[in-house]
Amino acid sequence: MIKGFGGVFWRTRNLEAVKKWYSEALKLEIDSWNGTVIRPGSGNETILSFFTEQDSYFPAEQQVMLNFQVHDLDEVIKHLEQIGVPLAKNKESSEFGQFVWITDPDGRLVELWEK
């Protein structure tokens, strides 16, 4: 039944700051309608995962966490360092890949993942 995710939508306290941050930090081209279309390439997957309210994987006051799959996590980390975006969680490796967290201007944790 499901073809794929149609989008992720959320409210922000400071639209211009958030648009600028996602454009600079993650190199997303934000269009005049305040969004972008990401067209996944081969080998990209989208994960839908549920967590209990008590799960400690990400802060309980944050209802949703974005996860972006990246080609080269070390290259992304280098880019983030160059523009002054600190890591909220250092690189971790597991059987699922490598992960880091960064924080957007609204204080929302964003996970970056290299499979």
Side-chain angles (χ1 to χ4, degrees), residues 64-77:
V64 175
M65 183 168 68
L66 295 175
N67 170 298
F68 290 100
Q69 188 173 357
V70 301
H71 294 286
D72 183 335
L73 190 57
D74 290 329
E75 183 180 310
V76 172
I77 291 170

Side-chain angles (χ1 to χ4, degrees), residues 1 5 7 13 19-20 22 24 35 56 62 76 86 99 112:
M1 246 172 68
F5 280 100
R13 293 180 295 251
K19 285 172 33 179
K20 182 177 186 222
Y22 277 89
E24 290 176 357
S56 63
Q62 183 174 324
V76 172
F99 302 86
L112 304 176

Side-chain angles (χ1 to χ4, degrees), residues 5-98:
F5 280 100
V8 176
F9 310 98
W10 76 78
R11 299 180 195 286
T12 178
R13 293 180 295 251
N14 189 334
L15 181 62
E16 293 308 315
V18 167
K19 285 172 33 179
K20 182 177 186 222
W21 187 87
Y22 277 89
S23 177
E24 290 176 357
L26 300 180
K27 297 186 178 184
L28 293 173
E29 294 183 28
I30 308 299
D31 291 327
S32 61
W33 51 273
N34 299 326
T36 189
V37 176
I38 299 171
R39 291 182 174 83
S42 177
N44 187 8
E45 5 180 89
T46 301
I47 306 295
L48 174 63
S49 183
F50 300 101
F51 293 82
T52 66
E53 289 180 347
Q54 299 80 23
D55 195 293
S56 63
Y57 188 67
F58 59 96
E61 63 273 7
Q62 183 174 324
Q63 292 296 306
V64 175
M65 183 168 68
L66 295 175
N67 170 298
F68 290 100
Q69 188 173 357
V70 301
H71 294 286
D72 183 335
L73 190 57
D74 290 329
E75 183 180 310
V76 172
I77 291 170
K78 191 182 307 181
H79 164 72
L80 294 169
E81 288 172 351
Q82 289 174 345
I83 66 168
V85 175
L87 298 181
K89 178 167 104 174
N90 290 327
K91 185 165 67 170
E92 292 184 359
S93 296
S94 75
E95 64 202 73
F96 304 109
Q98 299 178 84

